[in-house]
Amino acid sequence: MKILYYHSLLQLKYPFAISKFARTSTPVTLVEIHYEGLIGYGEACLVPYLGENHQSATCFLNQLDLSKFHFPFDFEYISYYLETVAPGNCAIKAAIDIALHDLLGKILNKPCYQLLGINPVDMPITSYTIGIDTPEIVREKAQNCGDFQVLKVKLGTKYDKTIIQAIREVSQLPLYVDANEGWKDKNYALEMIVWLREQGVVLIEQPMPKDMVDENAWLTEQSPLPTIGDEAVQRIADVGKAEGVYSGINVKLMKSTGIYEALEMIKEARRLQMSVLIGCMSETSCAALAGATLAPLCDWADLDGPFLISNNPFQTPQLLNGKYMLPAEPGLGLVKI
Ligand code: MG
């Protein structure tokens, strides 16, 4: 078994702004695990605010002992082993996990969703993200959302209502809202949520800072819309802490260290009767299709990463009526271009 990797910068079609930062590109590390003529593809999306970068990814990969990855893959053990290499480094761990799932599918000649016993018929629609921008750009993006049937709007600014009104001038699609911790007062947050519900918003992601636990819990109790913890929920240990604080959790493979732990998080959320949104970063088709494999287990999906970048090294995933069509090919069904 051999690992190859290369670093790249994904260029965003539009500069991406949320309530905390803006950027025009995202560093990724793409991983290939070669085994008996087959290649498993994996991806680490190294969003700057989570603390990983090309250097940390290289350092982690150089410490790997490949003899730990023998077929048949024991993902519980592999997850444990990756933790022993170094703490943190969630995205590059996800790249290994995704590549091994893709490879396993190719070895067994089955698509990943079949390996995991997931029925693609239950696929939810996926949202198209509109970052914080001028009303003109917001309108333009809302009008040019292709096959998407729901928009995800980034808020947490002083002009949130202006952004929503700009969208409503051109689109009547349902909306998800992500405040990215931008609202700092619980009464203001509740007022906004009540107003947003009247505008056709169906869920609210991370309304207030994750450290405001009591305030988020109060808001969830009062809120007419489900609240979803994202920044507050990174890994499996965070799911139980989110119970009673949010209605649901946002699972992302780059936070969960990949498919194996994401699946554990979804199961734990269901045990606690919480809802689940599966999200993504500015990713290529590789990590997005890995996320889409789990999407049929979730209530909502936000997997638009490959549609927001201009230099995807893989074929763009196919959507039908706003839903991912999971490829029937072995593994993740990725095609390099
Ligand atoms: Mg979010």
Side-chain angles (χ1 to χ4, degrees):
M1 200 167 287
K2 181 172 76 168
I3 294 192
L4 303 179
Y5 62 91
Y6 56 101
H7 302 310
S8 171
L9 269 186
L10 296 182
Q11 302 301 329
L12 299 168
K13 290 180 186 169
Y14 288 97
F16 182 64
I18 67 165
S19 63
K20 287 171 278 192
F21 61 79
R23 62 172 193 268
T24 55
S25 65
T26 305
V28 293
T29 297
L30 293 152
V31 167
E32 294 181 357
I33 301 185
H34 292 238
Y35 174 76
E36 295 188 353
L38 299 169
I39 304 174
Y41 295 108
E43 172 181 8
C45 175
L46 306 160
V47 288
Y49 70 94
L50 289 179
E52 293 179 70
N53 51 45
H54 287 153
Q55 198 182 359
S56 67
T58 302
C59 180
F60 188 87
L61 292 170
N62 286 342
Q63 291 177 74
L64 284 185
D65 173 2
L66 299 189
S67 71
K68 305 291 182 185
F69 302 150
H70 50 83
F71 178 78
F73 304 126
D74 175 348
F75 286 102
E76 184 179 357
Y77 169 73
I78 289 167
S79 170
Y80 160 78
Y81 164 67
L82 294 177
E83 288 308 306
T84 67
V85 175
N89 291 280
C90 297
I92 195 65
K93 288 174 184 171
I96 302 295
D97 167 280
I98 293 168
L100 288 173
H101 277 89
D102 186 35
L103 182 58
L104 180 63
K106 286 167 177 164
I107 294 170
L108 299 178
N109 201 28
K110 283 185 175 175
C112 281
Y113 63 82
Q114 269 183 19
L115 292 178
L116 300 169
I118 292 170
N119 187 350
V121 166
D122 299 327
M123 182 67 73
I125 54 174
T126 199
S127 55
Y128 178 72
T129 302
I130 298 186
I132 291 171
D133 225 313
T134 62
E136 292 72 34
I137 302 278
V138 163
R139 269 195 293 270
E140 188 188 316
K141 286 185 194 170
Q143 276 176 308
N144 295 303
C145 66
D147 290 337
F148 289 89
Q149 308 284 314
V150 58
L151 303 175
K152 176 164 147 174
V153 188
K154 296 289 193 177
L155 295 183
T157 69
K158 290 194 174 66
Y159 48 98
D160 286 351
K161 288 190 178 181
T162 309
I163 293 173
I164 296 293
Q165 282 157 348
I167 292 171
R168 280 296 174 241
E169 284 168 24
V170 297
S171 172
Q172 293 306 313
L173 289 178
L175 305 177
Y176 303 159
V177 155
D178 189 354
N180 286 111
E181 308 185 294
W183 299 332
K184 311 296 181 193
D185 176 86
K186 66 180 184 183
N187 292 301
Y188 173 78
L190 182 58
E191 247 172 66
M192 277 303 298
I193 294 174
V194 169
W195 183 82
L196 288 166
R197 183 167 173 251
E198 291 164 9
Q199 311 304 314
V201 172
V202 298
L203 66 84
I204 308 287
E205 221 179 292
Q206 201 62 57
M208 289 187 288
K210 62 179 181 180
D211 298 339
M212 295 173 70
V213 176
D214 293 345
E215 289 87 343
N216 277 304
W218 177 89
L219 186 64
T220 295
E221 192 153 335
Q222 307 291 320
S223 173
L225 295 177
T227 61
I228 309 296
D230 181 5
E231 283 84 343
V233 182
Q234 306 281 320
R235 300 197 58 181
I236 183 79
D238 300 318
V239 181
K241 294 180 205 161
E243 186 191 15
V245 183
Y246 305 96
S247 322
I249 60 169
N250 183 341
V251 174
K252 291 178 183 162
L253 300 190
M254 294 303 134
K255 301 189 297 184
S256 72
T257 69
I259 292 172
Y260 171 76
E261 191 166 317
L263 201 46
E264 296 294 301
M265 292 175 74
I266 293 168
K267 287 183 199 160
E268 177 69 355
R270 295 314 195 187
R271 197 180 66 76
L272 298 171
Q273 298 188 312
M274 297 179 77
S275 48
V276 181
L277 164 68
I278 187 143
C280 71
M281 308 290 188
S282 312
E283 299 166 354
T284 74
S285 303
C286 178
L289 276 169
T293 300
L294 300 179
L297 303 175
C298 305
D299 302 288
W300 309 285
D302 172 32
L303 297 168
D304 58 352
F307 300 89
L308 304 178
I309 58 174
S310 57
N311 58 341
N312 190 348
F314 301 99
Q315 275 181 11
T316 306
Q318 288 219 311
L319 295 184
L320 182 66
N321 298 326
K323 297 179 180 181
Y324 264 71
M325 305 254 292
L326 294 177
E329 284 76 29
L332 296 171
L334 290 159
V335 180
K336 271 204 130 177
I337 51 176

